[in-house]
Amino acid sequence: MVDTDRIVGGAKELGGKIQGAAGDFVGSNRDSAEGRLREAQGRAQDAYGQAKDTARNVADEAGDRAQDAYGQAKDAYGQARSKIRDVADNVTDYAADAYDRRGDYLRDGREAVSSRVEENPLVALLIAGAVGYGLALLLHGRR
């Protein structure tokens, strides 16, 4: 959108040129000087309008970029939130599965320990004694 100062400034500049040229043509120094002054005022007003247009365009561009950045951040947030939910669902499923299979794991472990103890009862007794001694040290400490 073109600023009105640019239009008015352009019109003043043109009017000033015409007045200055007419003053030069008829030999009127006063009209010539007023025309040059009006022409300069018109240029200044046009420059002011251009500066306002530029500032408006820069502000619009900054707003557009900020809006784009906000949209990208919002999308990234949504993606991160979705991934976190997926991971939480997977962890929950894994924990539920482990909880459901706890009896199987306990039974398998008990059978494995039983078979090792039956195969090597002396080693199992030494390990149990070492674990008991370690627990006694932890509970009572050295004095």
Side-chain angles (χ1 to χ4, degrees), residues 25-140:
F25 182 72
V26 294
S28 172
N29 289 335
R30 182 175 176 209
D31 283 337
S32 180
E34 283 181 11
R36 303 292 179 248
L37 177 63
R38 187 175 289 162
E39 183 180 349
Q41 288 173 340
R43 267 195 225 120
Q45 191 170 359
D46 182 48
Y48 174 68
Q50 287 177 9
K52 285 176 30 179
D53 281 346
T54 301
R56 186 179 304 113
N57 290 340
V58 167
D60 289 345
E61 182 68 25
D64 291 345
R65 288 183 187 223
Q67 193 171 11
D68 290 346
Y70 171 74
Q72 290 173 355
K74 191 174 177 181
D75 290 346
Y77 171 76
Q79 290 174 356
R81 186 174 177 154
S82 175
K83 286 183 181 183
I84 288 171
R85 283 185 179 163
D86 290 346
V87 168
D89 289 344
N90 288 342
V91 168
T92 302
D93 292 345
Y94 180 77
D97 187 45
Y99 182 77
D100 291 342
R101 292 185 182 186
R102 70 190 181 281
D104 295 338
Y105 295 143
L106 184 63
R107 187 173 27 267
D108 292 345
R110 184 177 44 229
E111 288 173 4
V113 169
S114 295
S115 69
R116 298 286 183 216
V117 169
E118 287 176 6
E119 290 174 9
N120 298 312
L122 183 60
V123 172
L125 185 62
L126 289 173
I127 291 173
V131 169
Y133 182 73
L135 286 174
L137 284 177
L138 285 174
L139 293 176
H140 298 290

